[in-house]
Amino acid sequence: MDLNKEVARKYKKALVTGGAGFIGSHICEELVKTGIEVVSLDSYVAGKEENIQDLKKFPNFLGVKADITDFDDLKKHFSGVDIVFHNAASKKTVSLKDPRRDLEVNAKGTFNLLELSRDTGVKRFVHASTGSVYGEPVVFPQDESHPLSPVSTYGVSKLAGERYAILFHKLFGLNTTVLRYFHVFGSRQEFNDFGGVVAIFIRNMMENKPLIIFGDGSQQRSFTYVKDVVRANLLVAVNDGSIGKVYNCASGVKVTVGELAKAVLETFGRDESQIDYKDWTIGDIKNFEVDNTKIKKLGMEFSTDFSVRLKETIKEMKDYITKLKNKNA
């Protein structure tokens, strides 16, 4: 299936929240290729102008600054929108420092977008959720029917958001789909302390700093390449069978944080003496074994060669980090 052609056939204008962020900018990048109008909406708390700079040359792209918690300001950006890819979020690291803001963004912000989508006739709403809604795994592998018992304020706020999304489908007929992301990595990922572990490890190597592991490194992750996440978003957007459904969006490949650290060290020509172990992080999930059967039945295929994608990401992130640091110097 040519997803870009299918998107162009079904939709005329897309709104991508968090569009200047890591995942959102990749979604915008792919959507622009379809020829439909694309609006990136971002507060720029985490998003960066640099992430969408190259898209500004396209006549079918527009970047706007707005906060999803500001309902009145959001209204003017919904004119003509017929599909929303909701990727704006407060992240887990933010929730540890400011749980009230986390709640406002992930729950209230999502509710605002759903209300406006319902009231303006949006055809589809693809909601980005997280594997953190499951909490500590009690059944392996985790499929979408696994008990939902989050162990962090971030997991709770994201669960509220996805529950609102499904409720708007049931009560108002808004065509929503939920994708639960798992440890997405790739180019343009945030590399500050609020970013993902892959990007942080790369940054630390570039700055000749140790790789900090919270715990003993045995915690498993299902690292998922960002281009695969983009494909999953487009796939559910054009598949009517996904309406009202929830999907695990994960590669299914199991990698421990310790294995990741060793792979990054090897690529940079360093040894394991560069690892610094710290206390476990509150709410950190130690084991993941994610079942992605449901989304694969829609035709989704994930990259399974983690080492190849990691090396590509390291090369791209080195250039990205250097560019941003030179700009801010």
Side-chain angles (χ1 to χ4, degrees):
M1 179 193 298
D2 188 327
L3 287 179
N4 285 10
K5 285 184 178 179
E6 284 297 302
V7 168
R9 184 178 66 82
K10 292 177 74 78
Y11 306 107
K12 293 181 179 179
K13 185 175 182 179
L15 177 68
V16 182
T17 70
F22 165 42
I23 299 172
S25 65
H26 281 277
I27 293 175
C28 287
E29 189 175 69
E30 195 62 31
L31 286 173
V32 164
K33 297 176 186 176
T34 70
I36 70 171
E37 289 185 65
V38 181
V39 177
S40 161
L41 188 149
D42 205 294
S43 68
Y44 293 98
V45 170
K48 298 178 177 64
E49 284 280 359
E50 289 80 7
N51 290 346
I52 57 172
Q53 194 63 47
D54 291 343
L55 298 179
K56 293 180 180 179
K57 64 186 177 185
F58 293 95
N60 60 324
F61 178 80
L62 176 66
V64 299
K65 183 176 181 179
D67 190 323
I68 63 171
T69 64
D70 187 339
F71 183 83
D72 291 331
D73 187 45
L74 278 178
K75 289 180 182 178
K76 61 178 176 282
H77 302 299
F78 269 77
S79 177
V81 171
D82 53 6
I83 182 167
V84 174
F85 294 91
H86 176 30
N87 283 262
S90 167
K91 298 180 180 178
K92 183 178 178 180
T93 44
V94 175
S95 75
L96 295 173
K97 295 186 177 182
D98 193 352
R100 287 186 178 276
R101 177 60 179 169
D102 178 78
L103 173 64
E104 186 176 24
V105 173
N106 293 342
K108 177 186 174 182
T110 299
F111 189 87
N112 286 344
L113 292 164
L114 289 164
E115 268 202 316
L116 287 167
S117 296
R118 177 198 63 191
D119 295 345
T120 59
V122 166
K123 295 177 181 177
R124 291 298 299 272
F125 189 103
V126 181
H127 176 70
S129 187
T130 169
S132 293
V133 300
Y134 292 121
E136 197 71 50
V138 294
V139 178
F140 294 90
Q142 287 175 295
D143 64 14
E144 291 79 359
S145 65
H146 187 282
L148 303 176
S149 185
V151 294
S152 64
T153 53
Y154 169 74
V156 172
S157 66
K158 290 296 288 183
L159 178 56
E162 71 166 61
R163 285 287 175 84
Y164 279 133
I166 295 301
L167 188 65
F168 266 70
H169 170 64
K170 292 179 178 178
L171 292 183
F172 308 115
L174 180 63
N175 294 328
T176 61
T177 302
V178 173
L179 292 174
R180 291 174 178 157
Y181 295 169
F182 287 80
H183 310 108
V184 185
F185 74 101
S187 62
R188 300 199 291 271
Q189 186 169 26
E190 274 191 87
F191 55 88
N192 59 26
D193 290 340
F194 297 108
V197 63
V198 175
I200 291 172
F201 279 2
I202 295 169
R203 178 204 70 192
N204 282 17
M205 283 289 92
M206 292 178 66
E207 296 177 350
N208 293 313
K209 294 178 179 178
L211 304 186
I212 297 174
I213 292 180
F214 296 96
D216 60 12
S218 64
Q219 57 269 49
Q220 290 180 337
R221 299 292 181 256
S222 187
F223 291 106
T224 307
Y225 191 51
V226 67
K227 297 292 187 184
D228 290 345
V229 173
V230 173
R231 178 174 172 78
N233 273 267
L234 269 58
L235 181 64
V236 298
V238 301
N239 193 312
D240 290 344
S242 71
I243 294 171
K245 305 287 180 55
V246 178
Y247 296 91
N248 286 337
C249 184
S251 67
V253 177
K254 292 185 288 184
V255 180
T256 68
V257 173
E259 289 169 341
L260 168 65
K262 291 173 186 176
V264 172
L265 287 166
E266 182 180 350
T267 302
F268 277 88
R270 313 282 175 81
D271 59 42
E272 292 179 38
S273 66
Q274 295 292 302
I275 299 177
D276 186 6
Y277 293 93
K278 302 286 188 182
D279 291 339
W280 289 97
T281 301
I282 296 173
D284 196 15
I285 305 301
K286 297 178 177 60
N287 294 299
F288 278 99
E289 187 176 351
V290 186
D291 188 329
N292 58 14
T293 302
K294 188 175 177 181
I295 196 168
K296 287 173 75 173
K297 286 181 178 178
L298 291 179
M300 182 63 200
E301 296 179 359
F302 290 93
S303 303
T304 55
D305 195 332
F306 176 69
S307 62
V308 170
R309 294 303 189 194
L310 178 62
K311 287 176 182 177
E312 291 174 358
T313 298
I314 290 174
K315 182 179 183 299
E316 292 167 344
M317 284 298 295
K318 284 170 72 175
D319 293 339
Y320 180 70
I321 292 171
T322 299
K323 177 182 176 182
L324 288 180
K325 285 191 171 184
N326 287 341
K327 179 196 171 190
N328 296 324

